[in-house]
Amino acid sequence: MSEKKNWKNDLILVGVLLAVSVLAFVIINMFVKKPGDKVIVKVDGKVVHELSLSQDTEVIVEGYQGGYNEIIIEYGYAKVNSADCPDELCVHSGTIDKSGETIVCLPHRVVVEVISGNNEIDAEVR
Amino acid sequence: MSKKTKAIAICGVMTAVAMIFSYIESLFPIPIPVYGVKLGIANIAIITVLFVVGKKEAFIVNIIRIALTAMLFGNLNSFLFSIAGGFLSLVVMIGLQYTKRFSTVGISVAGGVFHNIGQTIAAVFIMETGAIIYYLPVLLISGIVTGIVIGIVSGLVVKRVKSSFFNMEN
Ligand SMILES: [Zn+2]
């Protein structure tokens, strides 16, 4: 009998967490996901490159304890083309082009982040 | 065997099991390019201790598991990640266990979700970027799904351990 009661509580808990997830998804997509125009590359929290998404380029950055990540921008998208980190999750992260989207290479502490230049100006005016 | 001896034996076995699971999981990273998405099979051992032995013991077993796994197979990054996720999820699971209102599934789902929230918070601090929050919905959903699976398996393990070690349902 008590087991039945537990199942009901479990169900409520899962339902609440699902609702929170969907809400977070909606909020992030409405307020965070905007088209970006610039890409910043950070190594260990420090910005090392600021690139335009509309200009095809290629940069190679060094990880915070050695190693490299090759970042390319083409067709308005940014991606990590190659890297010598152990997990290579950054290489398999695909392309990014929306403001707030990131590619993270945790072993090298490298972050590639799309930002919107317009947003920054907006923030400064306010 | 006295009840205390049995409890110590279960804790020892479950610490070993949790470490093996953590190690196996680190060998096969799930091909999702988001940090923190993990099955969390080590949580089966933690939930078993939580339901069969007690809250304090589950806490100790999990801290030992995280410290030893990091020392043997990990690095500082992976230690910071697993301590942030493991600590937050354990606090939430123990808190819910006090209410005595949830089965292993409810506890496991809450643990999975808060494990991923803890790792996201760690990622924000380590990488010094707030943009990782963008992946939070994915992490929450994956925490719920894996939490349900882990919770069902944990329920079966708890039943077996209880009946074979204690020959009773308490
Ligand atoms: Zn990488």
Side-chain angles (χ1 to χ4, degrees):
Chain A
M1 202 189 100
S2 74
E3 221 160 80
K4 223 177 200 173
K5 219 164 107 190
N6 280 347
W7 275 109
K8 211 175 156 192
N9 288 323
D10 288 348
L11 213 64
I12 294 166
L13 183 72
V14 171
V16 168
L17 290 173
L18 263 178
V20 170
S21 310
V22 171
L23 195 70
F25 181 78
V26 170
I27 288 171
I28 285 165
N29 271 278
M30 279 175 69
F31 298 104
V32 182
K33 212 174 177 180
K34 290 172 187 161
D37 46 34
K38 268 197 283 184
V39 172
I40 51 170
V41 181
K42 286 195 236 175
V43 179
D44 201 22
K46 281 191 276 291
V47 178
V48 292
H49 287 289
E50 202 171 320
L51 313 160
S52 168
L53 261 181
S54 51
Q55 205 173 1
D56 291 3
T57 45
E58 183 188 324
V59 294
I60 291 171
V61 296
E62 205 192 315
Y64 92 116
Q65 279 179 343
Y68 77 95
N69 296 74
E70 183 201 10
I71 298 146
I72 61 172
I73 293 173
E74 54 180 6
Y75 315 119
Y77 293 94
K79 69 173 178 182
V80 176
N81 198 44
S82 69
D84 61 350
C85 54
D87 57 11
E88 290 199 339
L89 279 176
C90 52
V91 181
H92 301 298
S93 293
T95 58
I96 53 170
D97 71 322
K98 297 276 195 298
S99 177
E101 284 187 320
T102 56
I103 297 173
V104 174
C105 180
L106 196 68
H108 290 170
R109 293 201 182 174
V110 171
V111 178
V112 183
E113 184 176 344
V114 177
I115 57 166
S116 163
N118 297 330
N119 282 358
E120 275 183 355
I121 292 161
D122 280 358
E124 273 172 22
V125 169
R126 281 170 208 156
Chain B
M1 271 199 284
S2 74
K3 207 169 179 180
K4 200 182 168 191
T5 316
K6 282 175 183 173
I8 292 169
I10 293 171
C11 285
V13 169
M14 286 305 155
T15 307
V17 168
M19 281 177 64
I20 293 165
F21 282 165
S22 300
Y23 176 61
I24 292 171
E25 221 168 37
S26 73
L27 291 179
F28 303 102
I30 295 174
I32 297 173
V34 178
Y35 282 95
V37 175
K38 266 190 175 169
L39 267 165
I41 40 178
N43 219 17
I44 294 171
I46 307 304
I47 290 170
T48 302
V49 175
L50 186 62
F51 275 79
V52 177
V53 188
K55 302 171 190 78
K56 203 169 66 193
E57 288 80 1
F59 188 82
I60 294 164
V61 166
N62 200 28
I63 296 297
I64 291 172
R65 192 262 310 178
I66 292 167
L68 288 180
T69 308
M71 264 191 263
L72 291 174
F73 321 116
N75 52 38
L76 185 64
N77 268 338
S78 63
F79 176 71
L80 287 174
F81 264 74
S82 47
I83 197 88
F87 190 78
L88 191 61
S89 84
L90 198 70
V91 167
V92 171
M93 289 196 294
I94 288 174
L96 287 182
Q97 181 72 339
Y98 269 109
T99 69
K100 290 181 179 150
R101 280 170 190 275
F102 300 97
S103 78
T104 51
V105 175
I107 300 277
S108 168
V109 167
V113 165
F114 279 90
H115 181 264
N116 290 349
I117 291 175
Q119 294 211 320
T120 304
I121 293 169
V124 168
F125 279 100
I126 293 173
M127 309 307 295
E128 292 178 43
T129 173
I132 292 169
I133 292 288
Y134 179 78
Y135 296 104
L136 198 58
V138 181
L139 292 173
L140 293 178
I141 300 281
S142 77
I144 292 170
V145 174
T146 59
I148 290 170
V149 177
I150 298 295
I152 291 168
V153 176
S154 301
L156 299 174
V157 174
V158 167
K159 228 178 198 171
R160 283 290 172 88
V161 172
K162 265 186 183 172
S163 62
S164 63
F165 257 82
F166 294 104
N167 290 317
M168 54 181 172
E169 281 298 304
N170 282 312

